[in-house]
Amino acid sequence: MEEVSSALQSILAHKMRTILTMLGVIIGITSIIAIFSIIEGNTAKMKTELIGGNNNITEIEYNKKSVFDSTIADKKNPVTPNYIPKISGEMMDNIKKQEGVKDILQSYVQQNDLFNGNIKTNATIYASTNKLLDFKLFDIIKGNKKSDQGFVNQVTYLHELTYNKLYPEDDGLGRYVEINGTPFKVIGVYRNKDEKSRKYGTENSAIIPLSEKSKVFEEIDVAPTFLLQTEKTDQLKTSGQKVASMLNETLPKSDYTYGIRNFKQFEQQLEQFNRSNFILLAGIASISLIVGGIGVMNIMLVSVTERTREIGVKRALGARRIVILRQFLVEAILMTVLGGILGIMLGLISGYLITQYLNYPYIVSYLAVGISLVFCTVIGVVFGLLPAMKASKLDPIEALRFE
């Protein structure tokens, strides 16, 4: 305790010099803690988006069994069912009664060409109800503001990208687009609610009533896609698997099934990628810690020179070399640890502010905080050892003569 008290007195006696000395350590630790929060927040957000956690919606699709289960070998000639039964309204109502299920939406999806006279564009056609706008997080920006009564017969909503391609003069509302030879009246234009999707998205799409599917989809036996909304995000996987099992009871035996995709492998790759990024960026930030350690060593050498007479007096009064070495080593360690604590505080604050700005979840790793403190201690020992050894080796007589 005597060494700690002496070290604190020395540090407080030169506040400005101490702060400037700790600056490299503070910046390094701040960077590491903030980088960890940002990368972990980004990983968590991507995982949530992957399973549909943004609005508690996951997609139940119809595909080969090997797509949903990696243990099943992918067959070159999979057995297809003789037919795909239509899902009844009674079945849909039964699904909605299941625990955790908030809502479910049936839709059919197909790529097709849309025409406005000689202007043509290819788009994803959704045959569904206008509830799809909510499920897909779309906002109506022009025209009909969503009503079940208005979304019947040959009408369509167009994505703003599709609308702008077909109607560059912005005169499409109330006019008709042709899809597979059938005219559909444009009653509204929608776009993604998410600003990032609006800025970087390239989606071309249109929504038509479910009742008009047969006029657009050339195949008679088309498998539907289901969008399942749950009460909570953590219910997505279990509820999705349960609903998929209920839907599979209606299917004849084949190599095809309803299911939700297993993103575990992708999540592992994402974590590995982000871990590599963290190691790279943390390595760069660690350079600041090394520089900070060199600064500590430099100041401690100056301190040894300034306190030569003090060391001489202590040695003359019987202080052993180990006592002098411990005193200066504790001071160096205390300086780097204090810098580390300030760095952790600033890192937590800056990490929180940055993740909030980027709309990421804020994640704090106590392991990263603990490792940072240990690393600071190691820096103090490594870079404080040389000055401490120099101080302990001073000759008492020569030290007393020092002016």
Side-chain angles (χ1 to χ4, degrees), residues 105-358:
L105 181 70
Q106 181 179 6
S107 64
Y108 293 84
V109 186
Q110 191 180 79
Q111 291 292 126
N112 218 318
D113 291 328
L114 286 79
F115 294 88
N116 170 32
N118 295 325
I119 304 174
K120 168 187 169 183
T121 187
N122 188 268
T124 302
I125 309 298
Y126 295 101
S128 187
T129 70
N130 58 10
K131 278 169 56 175
L132 186 69
L133 292 162
D134 294 325
F135 274 68
K136 286 283 186 179
L137 296 179
F138 291 142
D139 268 336
I140 297 290
I141 56 172
K142 293 177 185 177
N144 191 311
K145 298 294 182 183
K146 276 194 313 178
S147 68
D148 294 330
Q149 293 77 19
F151 197 62
V152 291
N153 302 324
Q154 291 168 210
V155 295
T156 181
Y157 288 104
L158 298 181
H159 191 280
E160 67 173 335
L161 294 177
T162 310
Y163 177 80
N164 291 336
K165 287 179 181 178
L166 291 172
Y167 299 100
E169 302 296 326
D170 192 17
D171 57 350
L173 284 178
R175 296 177 63 181
Y176 287 83
V177 295
E178 186 179 310
I179 309 173
N180 199 30
T182 304
F184 285 83
K185 185 178 181 180
V186 180
I187 61 170
V189 181
Y190 61 88
R191 70 178 179 189
N192 303 75
K193 287 184 180 179
D194 182 46
E195 189 176 345
K196 190 183 293 184
S197 299
R198 291 204 300 269
K199 191 173 181 180
Y200 302 108
T202 57
E203 178 178 1
N204 263 358
S205 61
I207 304 172
I208 63 171
L210 192 59
S211 58
E212 306 301 303
K213 174 181 75 74
S214 59
K215 297 177 182 178
V216 173
F217 290 54
E218 294 181 351
E219 295 178 34
I220 297 175
D221 221 12
V222 181
T225 295
F226 295 89
L227 293 174
L228 177 71
Q229 186 174 37
T230 58
E231 299 290 346
K232 300 176 182 177
T233 302
D234 55 12
Q235 295 172 325
L236 282 169
K237 189 174 181 179
T238 53
S239 295
Q241 290 171 339
K242 186 176 181 180
V243 171
S245 297
M246 293 175 67
L247 293 170
N248 286 329
E249 291 174 3
T250 67
L251 290 175
K253 289 186 177 180
S254 71
D255 289 323
Y256 284 78
T257 185
Y258 286 107
I260 57 174
R261 288 185 184 259
N262 185 0
F263 293 108
K264 189 173 182 180
Q265 186 178 0
F266 181 83
E267 288 178 5
Q268 290 173 345
Q269 291 174 347
L270 179 64
E271 285 180 356
Q272 188 176 359
F273 173 75
N274 283 331
R275 197 178 298 118
S276 299
N277 279 344
F278 175 72
I279 292 170
L280 175 64
L281 294 171
I284 295 170
S286 297
I287 295 172
S288 177
L289 286 175
I290 304 298
V291 173
I294 294 170
V296 169
M297 183 173 64
N298 181 50
I299 289 300
M300 290 306 297
L301 286 169
V302 172
S303 181
V304 169
T305 303
E306 290 176 345
R307 294 155 66 185
T308 300
R309 284 183 61 82
E310 177 192 329
I311 296 167
V313 171
K314 286 186 177 182
R315 292 283 282 132
L317 292 174
R320 293 180 299 165
R321 288 178 57 188
I322 189 66
V323 174
I324 303 298
L325 185 141
R326 198 162 54 212
Q327 177 187 340
F328 281 88
L329 193 57
V330 167
E331 187 174 328
I333 293 171
L334 194 60
M335 198 179 296
T336 54
V337 169
L338 285 173
I341 293 171
L342 287 172
I344 289 168
M345 291 170 63
L346 290 173
L348 293 173
I349 294 169
S350 58
Y352 174 78
L353 293 174
I354 293 170
T355 51
Q356 293 304 299
Y357 175 75
L358 296 173

Side-chain angles (χ1 to χ4, degrees), residues 348-395:
L348 293 173
I349 294 169
S350 58
Y352 174 78
L353 293 174
I354 293 170
T355 51
Q356 293 304 299
Y357 175 75
L358 296 173
N359 198 25
Y360 293 167
Y362 178 55
I363 298 173
V364 176
S365 169
Y366 296 106
L367 178 63
V369 171
I371 290 174
S372 296
L373 285 174
V374 170
F375 198 41
C376 288
T377 305
V378 172
I379 290 286
V381 171
V382 171
F383 290 96
L385 193 59
L386 179 62
M389 288 177 66
K390 181 183 176 182
S392 68
K393 289 179 180 179
L394 285 175
D395 183 88

